[in-house]
Amino acid sequence: MASASSAHPLDPLSKDEIGAVNGILRADGRIGDASRFVSITLKEPPKAVVQVFSDGPVPDREAFVVLREPRRRATYEAVVSLTRGSVTAWRHVPGAQPALTEAEFRACEETVRADARWQAALRRRGVTDFSLAVVDSWTVGCRGPADERRSRRLVHALTFVRTGPRDNPYARPVEGLRALVDLDEMTVLEVADEDGPPLPPHAGNYAADLIARDDNWTTVTAPGPALRPLDITQPEGPSFTVDGHAVSWWKWRLRLGFTPREGLVLHRVGFMDAGRERPVLYRASLSEIFTPYADPGLVHRHKAAFDEGEYGAGFVVNSLEPGCDCLGEIRYVDVVVNDDHGAPVTLPRAICLHEEDVGVGWKHTDFRTGEVETRRQRRLVVSSFAVLGNYQYGYFWYFCLDGTIEFQIKLTGMVSTGAADPDAPPRCGTLLAPGLYAPNHQHFFNVRLDMCVDGNENAVHEVDAERLPQGEDNPEGGAWVARRTLLADEAAAQRLACPATGRFWLITNPAVRNRLGEPVAYKLVPGATALPQVRDDASAHRRAAFAFKHLWVTAYDPGLPALAEQPRSGDRHA
């Protein structure tokens, strides 16, 4: 098998390369026609290899593959060398459940629709046209070593009912009805029906031609008066350039990456200073989204999804549209993923790059001379949208003129709804319309940063405002210092944010000093955050331990299993 060439070792796998991986695995003889290709992604070379690469020979080009064998109820991981044209590693992962595939999601919906018990439950609610029912698959999650979910590939199927093919299904959830489906067998194991509240009476449509329907729950009869055009023009073109996956803007340099699990990934982020590129980040991505629900009802109490690990955010990115998702001089980047059979699928316009004016960045008036100096702020925006069922998550990486990097996640789309008792307000949710409510829930976003501030030897300090005791050297009692604490080991480096002390973290390089003789550093500032609201013995502590701390600093362990989806190589990860 001839391997495809790549300009850089971190470039995502191309269409030809994914096709070649498929062919190599099938020729190897360890997979069959029923095998499901869960993901095919680049196996990134070691950090040390990439850092010395400069337009030289590309290191061995490898793919990391996750497969599911339904007949064996088994999950496998493989490494395929495109350079050698062979499978170089293969292992069975006992008790592991990979992400759901799109084909499984759609087959589950058809399987549930054909189940007589489920049909009877809908008839009891007055629904006879089953084609109008929408079924969402929610992973059940493993709650311990003895849990049968380790060996059986199970999902809970939740039902919503439309009144027409374009009706918003989340306005009419079927409360009290839940089906348990085995995805390996593609059979409905049980249907639980508590005969909950009736279907909400109103539609919740948002399309311009449906919003004025008589049964729609809104006082809006039209989208509103048209706004006058707002044009963002750059007559000389944008200030950034895109060369393959390499991006240059002002003094910033970075590479675009993409994986089926994470979606948008950034590599090799650096800042040009006096003619040399100073590294800041080796790799950055949103590595997991944990969404636990707080309603104890039959339909909602099990909902605690890993939106990346259990669904794969990279498979469901939107094709972005000019004038809607991005404004101005835009550059788009397509990405390639795989389908259930291992064939390549191109997702057009998956990543958007554009510039934004962000108002005044710095201003000073010398009141003695009357001189005024104003400098505007501008930023490069690298964005992508993942469509995970009812929710849409917008990933936005901002690179600013003052050296700031900001990551913002925008939640939009639809909440996962429930039907409410018309005579009693929901105890663990918010009423949206008559008979319709949004269950209480939380979203936890785990961002993985492989820091590389002026080199690999980085350390992390926690900084808090600390009041000094009142005394002769602090007579007014208003003195305070910025107290730095080195996070010297992993046990100590599991930290919580603390707005009361203005807590932030410094990622420093002790080996590199600035002009004042201090170690160079980047400041990591937490945003508004919270913790899971669960009991101390709740399964969330085992399933999503990361959500119970706001910062984890860990060292890369090269002794981890070679096939595991381990943290990519690096010295420290904040």
Side-chain angles (χ1 to χ4, degrees):
M1 292 284 182
S3 64
S5 63
S6 176
H8 191 278
L10 292 177
D11 283 351
L13 295 178
S14 68
K15 182 178 180 180
D16 289 343
E17 287 177 317
I18 289 178
V21 170
N22 187 350
I24 292 168
L25 275 167
R26 293 192 182 280
D28 180 74
R30 277 181 275 198
I31 64 171
D33 293 338
S35 301
R36 296 174 186 156
F37 283 76
V38 178
S39 62
I40 303 175
T41 191
L42 173 70
K43 186 176 185 295
E44 296 173 18
K47 183 177 182 179
V49 172
V50 174
Q51 287 180 320
V52 298
F53 171 83
S54 179
D55 299 324
V58 178
D60 276 6
R61 190 77 170 155
E62 295 181 314
F64 178 78
V65 185
V66 179
L67 301 116
R68 181 68 180 178
E69 291 286 356
R71 294 169 184 170
R72 302 175 193 166
R73 293 191 176 277
T75 299
Y76 295 90
E77 293 177 341
V79 173
V80 175
S81 172
L82 286 157
T83 306
R84 305 175 198 174
S86 62
V87 178
T88 58
W90 177 277
R91 75 162 180 165
H92 172 229
V93 190
Q97 292 294 343
L100 303 187
T101 67
E102 181 182 5
E104 287 177 319
F105 197 93
R106 296 187 183 280
C108 177
E109 184 169 49
E110 294 303 316
T111 299
V112 171
R113 280 193 184 131
D115 186 83
R117 295 162 295 180
W118 177 86
Q119 292 178 357
L122 285 193
R123 287 192 188 96
R124 287 193 290 273
R125 291 165 170 83
V127 178
T128 56
D129 186 350
F130 305 130
S131 68
L132 294 175
V134 171
V135 177
D136 281 358
S137 299
W138 282 75
T139 54
V140 298
C142 180
R143 287 164 172 76
D147 197 328
E148 70 169 344
R149 297 163 177 85
R150 290 172 61 87
S151 59
R152 304 195 73 170
R153 190 159 172 77
L154 306 177
V155 295
H156 289 302
L158 310 184
T159 304
F160 306 83
V161 177
R162 299 173 294 184
T163 58
R166 294 179 57 229
D167 195 39
N168 173 17
Y170 298 110
R172 290 192 174 95
V174 180
E175 196 68 30
L177 178 63
R178 188 182 75 189
L180 183 65
V181 180
D182 186 318
L183 296 181
D184 283 333
E185 297 178 351
M186 207 52 73
T187 57
V188 178
L189 302 179
E190 64 180 48
V191 174
D193 185 4
E194 291 186 347
D195 195 22
L199 292 175
H202 295 281
N205 290 305
Y206 47 87
D209 59 334
L210 298 177
I211 199 170
R213 275 176 39 175
D214 291 340
D215 67 337
N216 217 48
W217 179 254
T218 175
T219 56
V220 178
T221 57
L227 295 170
R228 293 177 180 177
L230 174 62
D231 294 325
I232 299 174
T233 60
Q234 294 179 274
E236 299 178 14
S239 298
F240 63 87
T241 61
V242 182
D243 181 10
H245 291 85
V247 179
S248 299
W249 178 75
W250 195 57
K251 296 183 179 183
W252 288 105
R253 304 291 183 269
L254 59 101
R255 298 196 66 85
L256 301 175
F258 195 90
T259 74
R261 184 184 187 281
E262 302 156 294
L264 175 62
V265 177
L266 301 182
H267 297 286
R268 306 300 306 276
V269 178
F271 194 83
M272 298 300 296
D273 181 17
R276 71 183 180 97
E277 183 176 339
R278 302 179 67 180
V280 178
L281 275 163
Y282 179 75
R283 191 181 194 277
S285 70
L286 179 65
S287 61
E288 191 53 273
I289 308 170
F290 176 51
T291 311
Y293 280 69
D295 191 294
L298 172 72
V299 170
H300 309 287
R301 60 177 174 251
H302 69 278
K303 292 158 70 174
F306 288 156
D307 285 331
E308 289 197 359
E310 295 178 335
Y311 291 92
F315 287 107
V316 290
V317 293
N318 254 163
S319 289
L320 303 174
E321 295 294 335
C324 297
D325 299 294
C326 307
L327 290 177
E329 288 284 342
I330 304 163
R331 299 294 180 268
Y332 293 109
V333 178
D334 300 345
V335 300
V336 184
V337 296
N338 60 279
D339 65 14
D340 276 52
H341 303 290
V345 177
T346 299
L347 304 177
R349 304 186 306 281
I351 302 172
C352 171
L353 295 98
H354 71 286
E355 294 173 89
E356 289 180 347
D357 181 280
V358 202
V360 174
W362 181 86
K363 185 179 180 72
H364 178 67
T365 300
D366 188 324
F367 67 91
R368 292 180 176 87
T369 65
E371 292 183 353
V372 181
E373 182 78 19
T374 302
R375 298 173 189 172
R376 295 196 67 78
Q377 179 66 285
R378 189 188 294 192
R379 65 191 183 191
L380 172 69
V381 186
V382 184
S383 63
S384 184
F385 261 94
V387 183
L388 287 151
N390 52 292
Y391 267 109
Q392 275 82 75
Y393 297 103
Y395 302 179
F396 292 80
W397 288 95
Y398 298 123
F399 296 88
C400 300
L401 298 177
D402 59 2
T404 298
I405 304 171
E406 181 182 355
F407 181 51
Q408 184 179 100
I409 301 169
K410 299 182 181 181
L411 276 69
T412 182
M414 301 283 167
V415 292
S416 184
T417 53
D421 187 333
D423 299 322
R427 182 165 64 102
C428 297
T430 301
L431 199 64
L432 302 175
L436 182 72
Y437 80 109
N440 292 343
H441 64 284
Q442 296 174 284
H443 297 261
F444 296 95
F445 301 92
N446 192 63
V447 178
R448 183 178 174 277
L449 305 176
D450 186 344
M451 301 301 299
C452 185
V453 178
D454 260 346
N456 294 333
E457 299 302 321
N458 291 177
V460 180
H461 292 77
E462 186 168 272
V463 184
D464 290 281
E466 183 179 289
R467 291 176 292 180
L468 295 177
Q470 191 167 3
E472 292 184 3
D473 59 347
N474 183 23
E476 299 296 328
W480 59 273
V481 297
R483 183 73 66 194
R484 293 190 185 188
T485 304
L486 175 66
L487 304 181
D489 55 61
E490 289 186 340
Q494 304 173 23
R495 310 303 300 165
L496 294 174
C498 184
T501 63
R503 178 172 293 171
F504 62 89
W505 296 282
L506 280 180
I507 298 97
T508 70
N509 188 330
V512 182
R513 302 281 166 163
N514 62 22
R515 294 174 65 186
L516 296 174
E518 294 290 326
V520 295
Y522 246 81
K523 179 179 179 179
L524 179 61
V525 183
T529 188
L531 293 173
Q533 300 300 302
V534 298
R535 299 192 319 263
D536 291 342
D537 61 346
S539 62
H541 287 277
R542 295 184 295 276
R543 292 196 68 228
F546 66 85
F548 292 84
K549 301 291 182 182
H550 297 132
L551 177 77
W552 301 77
V553 185
T554 64
Y556 170 63
D557 182 0
L560 288 172
L563 281 173
E565 287 214 88
Q566 56 186 276
R568 273 66 176 181
S569 54
D571 297 289
R572 281 200 175 275
H573 310 297

